[in-house]
Amino acid sequence: MHAPSSPPPDASAPSNRDGLVAWAVAATVVVTILIGTFAPASHGRSGHSAAAIDASCAEWSDGCTICQRYGEETACSLPGIACVPQAKQCLRHSGG
């Protein structure tokens, strides 16, 4: 007599490995978002240079980012996905 064999595993049932992969992907997404949010912006990048715009301009944009002048420093927003920069234009002059 043969010993009863166990039924074959159900191929449609999720395995523990599938759950682990899902958690790894979710963790990677969260870490990437946190790095993008909290990493300091690099100043003086050529695309955001305050020297590229009129010295009296306090806020300018290239259609993808908005930059503001704070004394000698500038701060710029992050560009949108697949944004194509246009010519820079002043949005607000200092003192007005």
Side-chain angles (χ1 to χ4, degrees):
M1 282 183 121
H2 294 124
S5 62
S6 60
D10 184 7
S12 66
S15 68
N16 288 339
R17 185 168 186 242
D18 291 340
L20 182 60
V21 169
W23 277 106
V25 168
T28 301
V29 169
V30 168
V31 168
T32 302
I33 290 170
L34 290 174
I35 288 172
T37 301
F38 295 113
S42 62
H43 295 285
R45 292 182 359 197
S46 62
H48 302 305
S49 175
I53 193 90
D54 178 342
S56 69
C57 186
E59 184 175 355
W60 62 94
S61 176
D62 62 1
C64 293
T65 60
I66 296 175
C67 298
Q68 292 183 343
R69 189 183 318 263
Y70 297 100
E72 297 296 318
E73 297 289 322
T74 60
C76 297
S77 65
L78 294 174
I81 295 173
C83 186
V84 178
Q86 306 297 318
K88 290 181 180 74
Q89 64 183 49
C90 187
L91 302 176
R92 181 175 52 87
H93 288 278
S94 54

